[in-house]
Amino acid sequence: MPCAYDVTETAWIPLPDGRRLAARLWLPQVDGPVPAILEYLPYRRRDGTAPRDETTHTVFASEGYACIRVDIAGSGDSEGRFDDEYSEQELSDGEAILAWIAAQDWCDGNIGMIGISWGGFNGLQLAYRRPEALKAVVSVASTADRYADDIHYMGGCLLSDNANWGAQMFAYQSRPADPLNRADWREDWIARMQNMPFMAADWLRHQTRDGQWQHGSVCEDWSAITAPVLAITGWADAYVNTPSALAANLTAPTKALVGPWEHRYAHIAKIDPADFHGEVLTWFDQHLRGQDSGAADLPDYRVYMQEHFNPSQQNKPRRGRWVAEAQWPSPNVTDRVMHLGPQGLQAEPASGEQRISNPATLGRESGYFCAGMRFDNELPGDQSGDDALSACFDTAPLAAPLEILGRPRLRVEFSVDRPVAQLVARLCDLSPEGVSQRISFRPLNLTHRDSHTAPEMLVPGQRYSAVVELNECAQHLRAGHQLRLALSTSYWPIVWPAPQAAEVTLHLEGCTLTLPQRQVAAEIAPQNPGAPRAYPTLQSEVLRAASGTSERTTRADGTLMLDTFDDYGKARDPYHGMVVGSHVTMHYAIHPDDPASAVFASDWNFTFEREDWQVSIDTENKMTCDTDNFHLWRRVTAREGAEGTEVLIKEWQETIPRGFL
């Protein structure tokens, strides 16, 4: 039977240096100590994640777990200064939090960490440091390699979301503490804004896989993690590579689960929601309580095997089925090599050349990099328009189904006409009706062909080889469909373009596509999560409903623009009465003939109200470039009171050399 629990809206966790971190507690009403579940984020437990927390920690507490949601230093009500994502301060504070929890009389010393994205990252990173009390982790939509598989770089290419995420964090970290909890809220708020790190610029200064990215990348030493890990993500998410990598490389007990979901916990996903609570409880019952819950008997890798579903940018149900591999890597997955040739993807090697060059506007149907962060209109649509601008290599219509599970690998021999160039590979499922569904993609900065730590400029006309390991995927191609490999020299707006339009020449005799082909004589039980169970929701008073729009337009000179607006609504919290509203606009623009014309801009607004307390924060951000430099600018405007009296206006700007980008 579910047990009752008490909620402490604000508890203070003391740190060794005198700072205090703010936490929310859900404590079961039981006799004796219990295991604990920690979620540790900078996204504000009082308002930012409160609606989501109501759907998770309440359920876990009713199952007898003590739950703790902690604001990272300098965020929410926590004291101190925020310095960077996954910083040494954040992780050492995390160790102190775990020690504090373990010492409480309501905790039996066994702690699990849970989190999606940021919380999924730092759960793995703290497990890497082996604090005694951390006994298990549930990591959702996270990464094991901060350079290769995060929101900053991919394949040595700069992602436009480096600037976008920097803009979002600028807005997030400009929000004040709650005056109910911090008498010094105003002084602290101004200091937060004055001392805010220019994250987009700081990250852009680290363009190769240096110590900035090695820190917090658990792939540096897989053996360091000894706590059991359940790794979860969804195919509509950006973070698809980590679960399989953890299952393949960790020596600790590890299971991987990939559903169809976007960047959300599975029970609140817009795409085919599922029983996330059951997965978490099964894992923690086994590894925190020592019960035989069945977690140890789960297959290593459970995945939703997708099929063609006529994609659109709107969220809608997928088509596919659940499958499982008892062990990962699996003997059921073997390499199938295809050759690039004049006839497309073929069984035998070919000769000749294929030139690749496209307008900088290619990528109209790429979707938002990390689906689940916007209101809607964020998924990759029909790729056929982008395919028409690409060099495409197709199979003949399949006589029998083809199933792919893993990371396809493209090997190319090439020459270029520029010292810096990109190659972007997309793998697509082409229906008989001509609808192209993206299965996987991956860019490669060709100056990084041999190394992400020591790239080298290209010599025009010289012949090189490179390997592009596409992102993890699971796709069942039906008979009559075709597999398409589409190659381009840009992919806007996901990938920030090279400084000049380039032409890449493939030398086909050295070009192959290796597919991880799955062939199973008899399927095992997938043990997939069922439908989501009932869960509480935060009963906020909605004062403005959430909404979103997305619009593409073309200027007279041919510049393609994408403008989005996401209104996250305005609501009053039922527990403490704070009214919070927010919205964001994003603007992307690029001319088809000029990659250096790329522009990204983003403006955020937050408002906070309670009785006679009112504040608003506007943050503006812009990134442009030329052939030699990136130019970043941002401004914060903070106002207070019903009259909107200005408290602070501050601008920053940075110019950063492009280097090998």
Side-chain angles (χ1 to χ4, degrees):
M1 292 289 294
C3 66
Y5 55 86
D6 296 316
V7 179
T8 300
E9 282 290 313
T10 301
W12 294 101
I13 300 176
L15 297 176
D17 63 3
R19 290 174 296 132
R20 300 180 305 161
L21 300 184
R24 191 181 188 195
L25 307 180
W26 295 258
L27 300 181
Q29 295 176 0
V30 296
D31 294 329
V34 296
I37 299 173
L38 167 65
E39 190 167 14
Y40 177 42
L41 297 170
Y43 301 147
R44 299 172 61 93
R45 77 204 190 289
R46 294 276 275 177
D47 49 89
T49 65
R52 188 179 76 196
D53 297 343
E54 192 80 0
T55 74
T56 54
H57 295 301
T58 55
V59 176
F60 303 143
S62 71
E63 294 289 337
Y65 286 94
C67 295
I68 307 94
R69 167 68 180 84
V70 180
D71 288 338
I72 286 172
S75 66
D77 296 328
S78 288
E79 296 174 348
R81 293 284 168 262
F82 176 85
D83 55 356
D84 196 3
E85 54 182 15
Y86 325 120
S87 68
E88 177 58 32
Q89 171 183 272
E90 175 186 331
L91 298 181
S92 60
D93 286 355
E95 291 179 292
I97 294 167
L98 289 164
W100 180 85
I101 295 170
Q104 302 308 298
D105 57 9
W106 41 259
C107 179
D108 67 6
N110 296 300
I111 305 172
M113 286 192 70
I114 188 174
I116 179 170
S117 201
W118 197 302
F121 279 51
N122 65 25
L124 291 177
Q125 292 162 1
L126 281 163
Y128 188 88
R129 297 162 79 103
R130 298 187 185 180
E132 182 180 356
L134 182 57
K135 302 296 174 58
V137 172
V138 176
S139 182
V140 184
S142 63
T143 189
D145 189 328
R146 294 183 57 214
Y147 183 76
D149 280 314
D150 194 8
I151 208 161
H152 309 291
Y153 299 92
M154 183 184 289
C157 297
L158 176 67
L159 297 172
S160 63
D161 261 52
N162 183 80
N164 184 14
W165 182 237
Q168 188 165 343
M169 283 301 297
F170 179 39
Y172 277 16
Q173 295 307 110
S174 296
R175 297 175 289 182
D178 188 337
L180 291 183
N181 291 323
R182 294 280 301 273
D184 64 341
W185 73 270
R186 193 175 188 278
E187 176 187 353
D188 179 74
W189 178 39
I190 294 171
R192 283 184 184 187
M193 294 184 288
Q194 288 278 19
N195 298 292
M196 184 72 60
F198 198 165
M199 284 171 274
D202 293 342
W203 299 328
L204 187 50
R205 274 186 277 272
H206 296 273
Q207 300 176 4
T208 60
R209 196 177 186 280
D210 60 11
Q212 164 78 13
W213 310 115
Q214 292 166 4
H215 169 79
S217 291
V218 301
C219 63
E220 292 292 298
D221 181 5
W222 296 108
S223 67
I225 293 179
T226 57
V229 175
L230 173 61
I232 304 175
T233 195
W235 294 126
D237 204 312
Y239 295 95
V240 295
N241 295 324
T242 304
S244 61
L246 293 171
N249 292 289
L250 291 187
T251 56
T254 305
K255 304 295 181 182
L257 173 68
V258 184
W261 316 299
E262 74 277 24
H263 195 73
R264 299 175 190 269
Y265 283 145
H267 67 292
I268 54 173
K270 295 180 179 180
I271 302 171
D272 301 330
D275 184 15
F276 175 68
H277 301 97
E279 294 294 324
V280 173
L281 290 167
T282 296
W283 195 251
F284 285 152
D285 284 351
Q286 182 88 39
H287 298 293
L288 299 185
R289 285 179 166 153
Q291 298 177 357
D292 184 6
S293 66
D297 300 323
L298 291 172
D300 279 3
Y301 197 15
R302 294 173 291 156
V303 301
Y304 187 78
M305 181 65 66
Q306 297 192 117
E307 296 187 27
H308 200 287
F309 51 79
N310 290 327
S312 72
Q313 290 196 337
Q314 285 71 47
N315 296 299
K316 66 177 185 178
R318 297 312 207 227
R319 179 172 177 176
R321 75 190 197 283
W322 283 92
V323 303
E325 295 295 337
Q327 62 189 68
W328 190 257
S330 171
N332 296 324
V333 179
T334 56
D335 286 348
R336 176 176 175 181
V337 178
M338 296 181 171
H339 299 268
L340 281 60
Q343 306 306 314
L345 292 173
Q346 55 194 59
E348 300 298 327
S351 60
E353 295 180 347
Q354 172 69 57
R355 298 183 186 276
I356 306 171
S357 182
N358 55 263
T361 47
L362 188 148
R364 290 174 64 102
E365 292 297 329
S366 59
Y368 190 60
F369 174 72
C370 192
M373 306 274 284
R374 294 195 55 227
F375 182 75
D376 205 344
N377 306 298
E378 56 182 352
L379 300 174
D382 180 0
Q383 303 289 293
S384 57
D386 288 335
D387 293 352
L389 301 174
S390 306
C392 291
F393 299 85
D394 300 346
T395 64
L398 297 172
L402 170 65
E403 204 153 272
I404 302 168
L405 178 60
R407 300 189 66 173
R409 299 189 311 278
L410 172 67
R411 184 185 184 280
V412 292
E413 291 197 4
F414 68 94
S415 54
V416 296
D417 65 348
R418 300 288 185 187
V420 177
Q422 300 171 349
L423 183 66
V424 183
R426 288 178 294 117
L427 202 60
C428 301
D429 181 342
L430 183 64
S431 74
E433 296 76 27
V435 178
S436 180
Q437 176 183 318
R438 195 181 75 193
I439 300 170
S440 180
F441 80 101
R442 190 82 178 179
L444 177 64
N445 180 342
L446 295 174
T447 69
H448 287 238
R449 62 198 175 275
D450 296 323
S451 171
H452 289 313
T453 58
E456 295 180 345
M457 290 292 185
L458 299 156
V459 177
Q462 185 169 320
R463 189 159 168 165
Y464 301 98
S465 64
V467 174
V468 182
E469 187 175 28
L470 279 73
N471 294 319
E472 185 83 9
C473 60
Q475 187 82 5
H476 177 94
L477 289 88
R478 301 192 288 274
H481 285 228
Q482 294 171 269
L483 181 68
R484 167 170 288 173
L485 174 66
L487 301 178
S488 60
T489 54
S490 65
Y491 200 41
W492 176 260
I494 286 180
V495 178
W496 198 274
Q500 296 174 297
E503 183 177 77
V504 175
T505 300
L506 297 185
H507 305 284
L508 296 177
E509 64 270 22
C511 298
T512 58
L513 175 67
T514 301
L515 299 176
Q517 183 173 0
R518 180 177 186 266
Q519 296 175 300
V520 181
E523 297 279 7
I524 64 172
Q527 300 191 49
N528 54 289
R533 63 183 63 188
Y535 55 84
T537 57
L538 189 67
Q539 299 301 301
S540 300
E541 179 188 358
V542 176
L543 304 176
R544 186 180 73 234
S547 63
T549 60
S550 181
E551 182 181 17
R552 287 195 194 92
T553 54
T554 304
R555 292 181 188 150
D557 69 352
T559 296
L560 178 68
M561 297 184 294
L562 171 63
D563 289 280
T564 68
F565 174 72
D566 289 286
D567 186 346
Y568 296 104
K570 187 175 183 178
R572 187 188 313 275
D573 187 277
Y575 295 112
H576 51 72
M578 185 188 292
V579 175
V580 181
S582 65
H583 58 76
V584 57
T585 63
M586 287 184 279
H587 171 76
Y588 300 86
I590 197 166
H591 191 279
D593 301 329
D594 183 9
S597 67
V599 175
F600 168 76
S602 177
D603 299 340
W604 282 81
N605 170 264
F606 275 97
T607 59
F608 297 86
E609 308 168 28
R610 186 193 290 113
E611 299 173 351
D612 59 351
W613 176 67
Q614 296 172 319
V615 298
S616 68
I617 309 105
D618 290 288
T619 55
E620 303 163 79
N621 308 264
K622 189 173 185 179
M623 177 172 168
T624 61
C625 66
D626 53 41
T627 56
D628 298 314
N629 297 290
F630 298 106
H631 308 286
L632 293 88
W633 170 88
R634 69 178 188 176
R635 176 169 59 200
V636 61
T637 304
R639 298 179 176 89
E640 183 181 15
E643 302 301 319
T645 303
E646 288 181 357
V647 173
L648 175 72
I649 298 178
K650 184 173 180 178
E651 294 187 18
W652 296 255
Q653 62 182 37
E654 293 268 3
T655 294
I656 298 173
R658 295 188 69 128
F660 293 89
L661 298 174

